[in-house]
Every structure is written in C-alpha cells, then in structure tokens.
Amino acid sequence: MRRSAFPVSRLMRLAFLLLLAGALSAFTYLWLERLGRRAWPAILCRTVAWAALFILISDLSCAITDRSGAKPLVLLDASLSLRAAGGRWREARDSAERWGEVRLFGDERSNQDTGVARGRSLLAPALIAASASGRPFIVVSDGEIEDASDPPPDVLSGAEVRLFPRTPVRDLAVTEVSGPVRVTSGDSVSLEVELRAVGPGNRDSVRLEVRSEHGTLAKRAIRLTGGAALVRFTFSSNQLAAGTHLLEVGLAGANDAEPRDDLRLHLLSVTPTPGVVVLANPADWDSRYLFRTLKDVAQLPVRGYASLDPGRWRSMADLSAVSTEEVRQAARQADLLVIKGGATELARDSRAHGRWLWPSGEGGETVVPGDWYLTASPASPLAGAFIGLPVDSFPPAIQITPMEPGPQDWVALTAQEGRRGPERAVVLGRDTVGIRRITVAADGLWRWALRGASSEQAYRSWVALTASWLLGGADSARGRAHPVRPVVQNARPVVFEWAATGAPVALPVVLEGPANWIHRDTLRFDGTGHAQLWLPVGRYHYRLDGAGEGTIAVETYSDEWLPRPAGLKEQTAVLAARSGRTNARQWAWLFGVCVLGLSGEWWARKRLGLR
C-alpha cells in the first residue's frame, strides 16, 4: 500500500485552485454569456477541466511511503563466466531466486530474454533500469564485470552486492588468431596465434595444430614463457581447394579444466585469381608506396609486378623474377587492376571490374613538371578521405598529365601550380556499366606517406577509399548486406552491415546448419545500418533474400571462460521502505479528468446552441 500525505500549505493551494477554477467558470457563463441556470452543466465541466489543468501547471506534490513489502529486484549475472570451470552458477541462481524477483543481465539482449548464456558481463544498463523502479535491488555476480566503472557511483552505492567468485582452476587457452581472410591459390598463409596459461600447475610446453576439413595443415610444439606465447604458422594455400574454409586452431592433448577455450576458428577464402594486381612500368616511388599501402588497407590479396629492366618483370613482394605470361594472366584475372605507367598492353583482355590508371608520360602523354598543390573536391565518392585535412598544405605533386574531364566523369582532386593559376583535374572517376575507373594524373603523392602525420593519414584513407569504390560495383555475391565478422565468440551476435545504396530495409535470411538444420529469420537494421543475429554454437551457410550468401560461424570460445580481476566488491544495503515524493504530472488519471471535463463542456455548449 502507498500512503500519501499533503501538508496544510499544499491543501490550501489545492483549495485555492479549485475555487479559482469554479469562479472563472461561473464568471464566464453567468456574467459574460448571461445564460443563467441553463449553464450549470457547462460551468461544472469547465470547473473540472480547469481545476485539473491548474493542478498540472502548478505540479503539486505530496510525500509517499512504499510499505508494500514487495520482494527486491535481484540482478543475476547470466554471463558465461559463472558457467565456466570453477564457476558457481547453480549456487548463485538458487540464492537469487530465494532473495527476490530475478532479472538477468549480461549482454545487449533484453532482461526478458530467458537465456542464461550471455557472452558479456555488462551491468550498467540493468543497474540504471533497476534504480529507476524505486524498489530495493541486489546484484548477484562473480565480480568479473566488464563495465564496473560505468554505473554512476550513487546508483551502485544504493545496491546490495553479493558475490560468488569462481574457484581458480588450471587452464590453457588459445586467446587470439589473426591472419588474412582471403588469399590467392599458391600464396602463403600466415596465422598469428596467442596462447595463455592461467591457474595453478600449468605445463611449460603444449602442442598447437592448424586443421581444416581435409586434415592437419601445420603443427608445432610451443614452450610457454611467463604463462603466454605468441606463435606464427606459415603454410601454403595449395593444401586447400578454392573456396571457403573454416580453419581450426587448437591445442592437442591439453587436458585442462576448461576445454571450451582450447579451439579458435578462422574463416579463410582461397580464390583461384588475385584480388588486386599492381603493374608498374617502370617502377617508381609512387608505385612502391601504393603497393605497400594497398597491402595494408585492402581486404583482398594484393600482387604487384614491376618492370626494372625493359621486358623483364619482378614481383614487388620479394623481387623474384616472373614471366611476362604470368603477369598477363594475373592482370586478366584480377578484380582490381592498377596500372602505373606504360603497362596497358598487358591489360587489354583483363576482366577486372575496377581499373586504377596512373599515366606518367610513358604512353606519349604530355607531362607538365612543377610544384602542383592539390585541393579536394567536396562532391566526389572519395571526399570522405580528406574531411578535416589540409590537403592544400601537403607536399605538392612533382608533375601532372593534363586531362579534361568527360561528361560522365567526377573530379576528386584538382591541382594548381604554386597555388596560382587555373585548377586542373588530376584525380578523375567514372562509373560505367560493369566497370569502374579512376585516373590519377599526378606524380609525387608518395611524399604524403613519407611525410607522416595528417598527410600520411590522408594518403592511406585515399588509397583505402579508392580501392573500396573501385571494388564496390564488382562484389555482387555479398548482396545487400554482409557480416562484419564472419566468426564470433560464443553467445555473441553475428552483426550484419547494410552494404547497398539507399536506406536499410528488413531483409529475410535463410540459415543452413549441420544435419539439415534450416532456420528462417529477418535482419532488421538500426539507424547505423547494422542488424544482429543471435545463433547457437555452430557453422552456418546464409542466403540473403535477392542475392548474397556466405559462411558464418559461432565458436565455443568466449573471453568469459578466462578469469578476470574482480571489478565489483561485496557491499551491504538496508532493504527498508523507501520514501520520496510524487508530483501531479505523474498522475495519468489527472490528464484523463482534464480531457473528460473539456469534452463534457463541449457537449453542454452544443446543447445550449453555442460553439
């Protein structure tokens, strides 16, 4: 039961507002309208409406005391850490059910979700929501909270915290696997693996293996130093057929307390053709810096070939000699072809959907040397690379090849000699059916990368955005959306990102799992163009409505399996009745009274023949 109390001063204010509403209503109908006794229904309705309106405007308040004796809210940590080896999930759950009304917390899912497997330990959102309920609340956890510093101190201090810390156990874990996501057949695959040992009695050495569906690709014995190790595996992609492969990187015979963190997954696509091919004839500083930057920022395999001697080609990766036919074949099969200088004869039959041309006079073009300072155009697909950066103060280009934009061309960068004279277009783009093309008519941009700071940032952003735009029209297999990360940790969502033009729309998706498991769902994108899909552990093949398909996986590993320092400490709170104040604007029924009064007055006035 909730008891309210108005002090005498507020009772007097309430009486004054009621009298004021009645007096004004009577004055209107009896004096101004001069309707006599017939107006009493309208006077009464207006008095009720105005009285409610005056109370809402003055926002009268009164003291309340909650003596309902309801059970407190119990915020139960449902993250995987409580279910890990040494965790005390059952004990914590049974205790929470005895102490009050249980609400689960942990990750981005709502409290109404009954699943107990949460891939994160986020307390702040649940804590703030519980504090707003006005009820006492208890936090039940193992103390390993990810956002322990985020809740407001006054909110956290009002909670009772009861901890069930996990028991230390011996464990070996593969904590991280990084490497390329796409390689060309014949390329070397390099994976970097992080190992960690926790708990008492760990061994000094372990055996680590990299496996595919066809067998073991690499293995080696690892010696742990200081409880951690960083291992690099290198093997040839010739061991894998063209297609998508879900590689397993795991410990062999670890025999530890927590086997669910002994294996990590890495999705690798092996393609028969290279993704990006750079042809430089002759090789210069622009081509070298461009090749190096493309390898850093592009998500596709990058191959580079340079002509150091007339008619002779070498790999830009290791300077090994390659035949002209090999270069021609790579150019023919590339998704994105970059031509620096006079190598156009090798690209006549290329099937590349994106072409990045960089003439430097080798084909007979006119070249104008000088100090050419560049300026970014605000209306181009590459404008985002230069936002907020002083492009006109970067090192100037050393020469340009004068070009005139066509009717279908857009201009990303213009140049002025010595910051004077007419502007000349030096970076032009065109999007025609099936092929996107960008032409760079300036040499010396490698000095942006050499200088560092903001000019290097602009160079890298420009290269990344240019490659992305050139490849944007070619990757139709990805469809209107694609997963941000194809492999996610246990109890974490697979996040899809909207990739098509226009505003995101709901997108049906079909998932196929092992043993003929089929599930149909709908991706609903938020304002940032992202949609979440929660799946159990396993490997899935997805198909989007219209076009687009691929492989995604949820691995058994989770960061929650590994112990973390406790971010919460036990604390007590007095679970007593809480008192406070309530305001008139919190009374929903008062708004209804105001509306009913106005409606009644309108009906009464209609009966009186008034408007």
Side-chain angles (χ1 to χ4, degrees):
M1 185 176 85
R2 295 167 67 92
R3 296 183 179 178
S4 305
F6 272 112
V8 176
S9 62
R10 288 183 173 81
L11 287 174
M12 294 179 63
R13 287 179 59 189
L14 178 61
F16 172 76
L17 293 175
L18 293 175
L19 289 174
L20 179 62
L24 290 175
S25 300
F27 175 78
T28 301
Y29 283 99
L30 298 180
W31 179 259
L32 297 180
E33 301 283 354
R34 298 186 180 276
L35 296 176
R37 294 181 179 181
R38 296 184 304 139
W40 282 112
I43 293 174
L44 180 61
C45 290
R46 176 171 287 193
T47 300
V48 171
W50 282 15
L53 185 61
F54 290 161
I55 293 173
L56 289 171
I57 292 175
S58 61
D59 199 19
L60 290 179
S61 64
C62 65
I64 60 169
T65 302
D66 189 356
R67 304 186 185 276
S68 60
K71 289 184 177 181
L73 289 177
V74 181
L75 305 181
L76 176 59
D77 186 354
S79 61
L80 293 176
S81 61
L82 271 164
R83 303 171 67 86
R88 300 162 63 185
W89 164 252
R90 290 187 178 180
E91 185 180 352
R93 179 196 59 191
D94 294 343
S95 300
E97 291 175 348
R98 292 196 306 269
W99 292 335
E101 180 183 341
V102 177
R103 301 281 181 87
L104 302 180
F105 75 89
D107 54 24
E108 301 89 344
R109 284 175 282 190
S110 66
N111 289 333
Q112 288 73 28
D113 196 310
T114 58
V116 297
R118 305 293 180 99
R120 302 183 69 181
S121 298
L122 301 177
L123 173 61
L127 197 63
I128 294 173
S131 65
S133 68
R135 298 169 57 181
F137 52 95
I138 305 171
V139 177
V140 178
S141 173
D142 56 5
E144 300 177 17
I145 299 299
E146 184 177 335
D147 61 344
S149 61
D150 291 350
D154 58 330
V155 175
L156 185 58
S157 62
E160 182 161 348
V161 180
R162 302 176 184 177
L163 300 183
F164 294 83
R166 73 168 85 183
T167 304
V169 296
R170 171 182 175 273
D171 184 30
L172 299 171
V174 181
T175 57
E176 187 71 32
V177 175
S178 58
V181 297
R182 179 173 171 177
V183 296
T184 306
S185 296
D187 288 349
S188 295
V189 180
S190 181
L191 297 180
E192 198 169 79
V193 184
E194 294 182 9
L195 302 178
R196 181 181 169 191
V198 296
N202 281 296
R203 293 180 298 182
D204 293 335
S205 62
V206 294
R207 193 168 75 253
L208 191 63
E209 295 181 350
V210 180
R211 299 181 293 269
S212 72
E213 63 273 20
H214 301 300
T216 302
L217 301 174
K219 59 182 178 180
R220 60 185 293 188
I222 309 301
R223 185 174 183 84
L224 298 175
T225 304
L230 183 63
V231 186
R232 183 181 294 274
F233 284 98
T234 302
F235 55 90
S236 175
S237 60
N238 286 330
Q239 302 181 62
L240 300 169
T244 300
H245 302 270
L246 195 61
L247 305 184
E248 298 179 350
V249 182
L251 298 169
N255 192 26
D256 56 2
E258 183 53 83
R260 289 171 290 189
D261 58 14
D262 294 349
L263 181 70
R264 299 300 304 270
L265 302 179
H266 182 76
L267 194 68
L268 178 68
S269 295
V270 180
T271 62
T273 62
V276 181
V277 173
V278 180
L279 304 182
N281 182 22
D284 57 9
W285 288 106
D286 273 314
S287 61
R288 294 176 187 178
Y289 273 86
L290 179 62
F291 174 73
R292 184 185 305 173
T293 305
L294 278 170
K295 288 182 67 69
D296 291 340
V297 302
Q299 297 182 352
L300 300 177
V302 180
R303 287 186 180 181
Y305 303 96
S307 177
L308 302 182
D309 302 313
R312 297 182 180 180
W313 292 89
R314 293 184 178 272
S315 169
M316 297 180 71
D318 55 11
L319 295 182
S320 60
V322 295
S323 65
T324 302
E325 183 56 32
E326 180 179 343
V327 176
R328 192 187 306 275
Q329 184 72 13
R332 181 184 300 116
Q333 299 175 342
D335 294 323
L336 168 57
L337 181 60
V338 183
I339 302 177
K340 178 67 175 74
T344 55
E345 70 281 357
L346 296 177
R348 296 187 185 280
D349 56 350
S350 175
R351 296 191 294 267
H353 296 275
R355 302 191 181 190
W356 192 345
L357 307 179
W358 205 313
S360 302
E362 290 79 8
E365 305 92 350
T366 302
V367 175
V368 181
D371 290 334
W372 294 92
Y373 289 88
L374 274 60
T375 303
S377 172
S380 79
L382 309 184
F386 309 110
I387 293 178
L389 298 175
V391 178
D392 57 350
S393 66
F394 293 165
I398 59 176
Q399 66 179 26
I400 68 168
T401 303
M403 304 190 71
E404 290 296 329
Q408 297 180 339
D409 292 341
W410 48 260
V411 178
L413 289 172
T414 59
Q416 284 182 299
E417 186 174 10
R419 299 193 178 96
R420 299 182 182 87
E423 292 186 345
R424 297 178 181 267
V426 291
V427 177
L428 303 86
R430 176 184 297 182
D431 187 357
T432 56
V433 179
I435 296 179
R436 289 186 173 185
R437 186 188 307 268
I438 285 181
T439 302
V440 179
D443 289 314
L445 299 186
W446 62 271
R447 298 196 294 176
W448 289 14
L450 181 65
R451 184 178 181 179
S454 60
S455 63
E456 181 183 17
Q457 175 187 345
Y459 183 82
R460 292 176 62 87
S461 299
W462 171 63
V463 171
L465 198 56
T466 300
S468 177
W469 184 83
L470 288 169
L471 290 165
D475 201 0
S476 59
R478 299 176 72 182
R480 289 183 286 175
H482 59 83
V484 177
R485 293 184 179 180
V487 178
V488 298
Q489 296 183 17
N490 193 351
R492 297 296 301 274
V494 180
V495 179
F496 281 81
E497 182 178 42
W498 183 259
T501 57
V505 297
L507 190 60
V509 59
V510 178
L511 299 162
E512 298 178 1
N516 296 323
W517 181 89
I518 298 179
H519 174 70
R520 290 176 173 82
D521 210 323
T522 301
L523 300 178
R524 304 187 185 279
F525 297 88
D526 57 20
T528 63
H530 293 86
Q532 294 184 345
L533 194 63
W534 300 87
L535 298 170
V537 172
R539 173 178 175 169
Y540 306 91
H541 182 82
Y542 72 88
R543 295 196 311 274
L544 300 177
D545 184 47
E549 59 182 314
T551 300
I552 55 178
V554 181
E555 54 188 351
T556 58
Y557 175 87
S558 171
D559 289 335
E560 294 287 325
W561 301 135
L562 297 172
R564 285 186 299 222
L568 283 182
K569 296 182 180 180
E570 283 198 349
Q571 63 184 36
T572 58
V574 179
L575 302 180
R578 296 187 175 186
S579 61
R581 307 199 67 82
T582 180
N583 298 327
R585 293 174 188 172
Q586 295 177 316
W587 305 336
W589 58 269
L590 196 56
F591 291 89
V593 169
C594 183
V595 173
L596 288 176
L598 293 173
S599 301
E601 183 187 5
W602 174 83
W603 176 82
R605 290 178 65 86
K606 294 288 288 185
R607 294 290 299 269
L608 293 171
L610 302 174
R611 291 184 177 180

